[in-house]
Amino acid sequence: MPQADTKTRILDAAEKLFARDGFHNTSMRGITGLARVNLAAVNYHFGSKDALLLAVIERRIVPLNQIRQEKLQTVLEKAQAAGQPPSARQLLQAFIEPTLAFRSSGPGAEDFIALIGRALSEPDETVRACFIQQVLPIFKLLFAGLHQALPELSDQILLTRLQFTMGAMSHMMCASTRPVLHLPGFPEPLQETEMVAELISFVCSGLEAPC
Amino acid sequence: MPQADTKTRILDAAEKLFARDGFHNTSMRGITGLARVNLAAVNYHFGSKDALLLAVIERRIVPLNQIRQEKLQTVLEKAQAAGQPPSARQLLQAFIEPTLAFRSSGPGAEDFIALIGRALSEPDETVRACFIQQVLPIFKLLFAGLHQALPELSDQILLTRLQFTMGAMSHMMCASTRPVLHLPGFPEPLQETEMVAELISFVCSGLEAPC
DNA sequence: AGCTGTTTCAAACGAGTGTTTTAATCATCT
DNA sequence: AGATGATTAAAACACTCGTTTGAAACAGCT
């Protein structure tokens, strides 16, 4: 196969290593070694390691968020057209499903999913801030939609439960490439599609829990 | 106040910095500087940075797991005495509440909670393996109890939902010292006690979701 | 061909890392 | 007091880190 150009090779390698080892635990030499590219190429093409991380995240998250935004808005518009509040399940589906469907979109995509799954709990601001900035508009949309779907919940409670939802979701995203508690004596983990369906059922029930 | 001995000062400082900045992003010089202790003291007392991490985790998690184990077994025994299956809510309470009550146990305890909250999603095996090894017996107990409480769920489904539970829980533990999505335009986060109650309600509903 | 701007390359830089070493200090015992 | 073992101290070790440098190789052009 004709090998991709330098920038792409760097992005692919960085994505894989950032996801597997974390940002600070990944070295420029590791990245350029895996990409079979000169060490200086990263600083030449991206400027710095931080800027490379930003590029890695943005490359994937911009189209992903676009899909999420479209799906969310479709749900909201259909509900408005029907003169009914949107259903919590549909909103969550619009938010969650694209994230994991995205994983099938290419060989490196699953690494990326693990990377952003861990982003929220990253200690380092570099990763976290970059990710939050990208996902905040979508999150606001989801929040507003769920507010209509579950009007009996106060803002505080809804936000709290949404945090739990994000926790369960990001945990699954991390665990996908590396099962967190897959040990002898425990059953095999579910397939991806079933896992997503289970997650949606789980957080739906959680969000709709009685106050 | 009489300052604690060297080992304790190192443990306290390391706990704080590991929790705030992550393991790899914390330097020995940072730890010994905060502890106002000589650089070589860590290697003298603990052997290595890795061994220090293990000591930091074990110091807190051993008594914590003891409490959890006792509470879990009390719930299980009471249920058996009554000839009824234990309730999922009580089992989850026994597992979750001590973790967060633990935070009030001392000035450094909340740092520790954030540290182990992040442990499951840590890319590094050093942290993850240590934590999993410690928590596995408790986890098995919880799993067995929930299996009685929710006999209609298959092993696979239960484990999957328990993973989501761990995700929501660890997310809250990370977020406690640093609210993840606390931004202008969003409501204030809940107090700790209410937060725990909300988490338990959330995961209870999630676990009991219809198949 | 020769020139021009872009990309690659090997090498080095300075700063920071965990760890080790060796000597000095302290506490505790006979 | 003096000797013994535990602890602390300052300094250096070998190594890796992200970044920069300046020359070489390559591209596309007139």
Side-chain angles (χ1 to χ4, degrees), chain A residues 65-80:
Chain A
N65 275 350
Q66 198 166 347
I67 296 174
R68 287 206 276 210
Q69 177 134 11
E70 285 166 11
K71 293 211 172 198
L72 274 174
Q73 249 152 9
T74 302
V75 172
L76 289 172
E77 284 164 10
K78 278 191 179 172
Q80 197 160 16

Side-chain angles (χ1 to χ4, degrees), chain B residues 23-206:
Chain B
F23 178 67
H24 279 98
N25 211 19
T26 299
S27 71
M28 301 282 265
R29 286 161 181 84
I31 296 168
T32 54
L34 180 61
R36 278 171 304 122
V37 150
N38 187 269
L39 172 60
V42 172
N43 286 284
Y44 175 76
H45 283 286
F46 298 95
S48 69
K49 192 187 175 187
D50 281 30
L52 171 61
L53 171 68
L54 209 110
V56 165
I57 294 183
E58 283 193 344
R59 173 174 68 150
R60 305 265 194 197
I61 214 170
V62 168
L64 170 59
N65 275 350
Q66 198 165 349
I67 296 174
R68 288 206 275 210
Q69 177 134 12
E70 285 167 11
K71 292 212 172 198
L72 273 175
Q73 249 151 7
T74 302
V75 172
L76 289 173
E77 283 164 10
K78 277 191 179 172
Q80 196 160 17
Q84 287 182 343
S87 95
R89 176 174 286 267
Q90 282 180 332
L91 289 168
L92 289 166
Q93 267 176 343
F95 185 77
I96 294 176
E97 274 180 350
T99 312
L100 287 119
F102 192 72
R103 184 159 36 187
S104 320
S105 75
E110 59 177 8
D111 296 323
F112 177 72
I113 295 298
L115 176 62
I116 63 170
R118 191 159 46 227
L120 271 186
S121 55
E122 277 276 342
D124 185 61
E125 284 297 322
T126 317
V127 188
R128 231 168 62 84
C130 167
F131 172 73
I132 287 184
Q133 180 200 326
Q134 293 284 348
V135 92
L136 197 61
I138 311 289
F139 191 81
K140 282 183 175 170
L141 209 60
L142 176 65
F143 185 75
L146 285 173
H147 203 59
Q148 295 174 41
L150 306 164
E152 72 278 12
L153 297 183
S154 72
D155 277 13
Q156 260 194 336
I157 300 285
L158 178 58
L159 180 63
T160 305
R161 293 184 179 181
L162 209 41
Q163 299 260 25
F164 299 152
T165 301
M166 299 296 286
M169 182 175 167
S170 69
H171 186 71
M172 183 189 66
M173 286 160 70
C174 291
S176 61
T177 52
R178 180 196 56 189
V180 169
L181 281 165
H182 180 215
L183 294 159
F186 283 113
E188 286 290 312
L190 290 174
Q191 295 293 87
E192 176 176 311
T193 315
E194 303 164 291
M195 184 90 90
V196 177
E198 268 303 313
L199 175 61
I200 291 173
S201 292
F202 183 88
V203 298
C204 256
S205 290

Side-chain angles (χ1 to χ4, degrees), chain A residues 169-192:
Chain A
M169 182 175 166
S170 70
H171 185 71
M172 185 190 63
M173 286 160 68
C174 291
S176 61
T177 51
R178 180 197 56 191
V180 168
L181 281 164
H182 181 214
L183 294 158
F186 282 113
E188 286 289 312
L190 289 175
Q191 295 291 88
E192 176 176 311

Side-chain angles (χ1 to χ4, degrees), chain A residues 78-95:
Chain A
K78 278 191 179 172
Q80 197 160 16
Q84 286 183 343
S87 96
R89 175 174 288 266
Q90 282 181 331
L91 289 168
L92 288 166
Q93 267 177 344
F95 185 76

Side-chain angles (χ1 to χ4, degrees), chain A residues 42 162 197:
Chain A
V42 173
L162 210 41

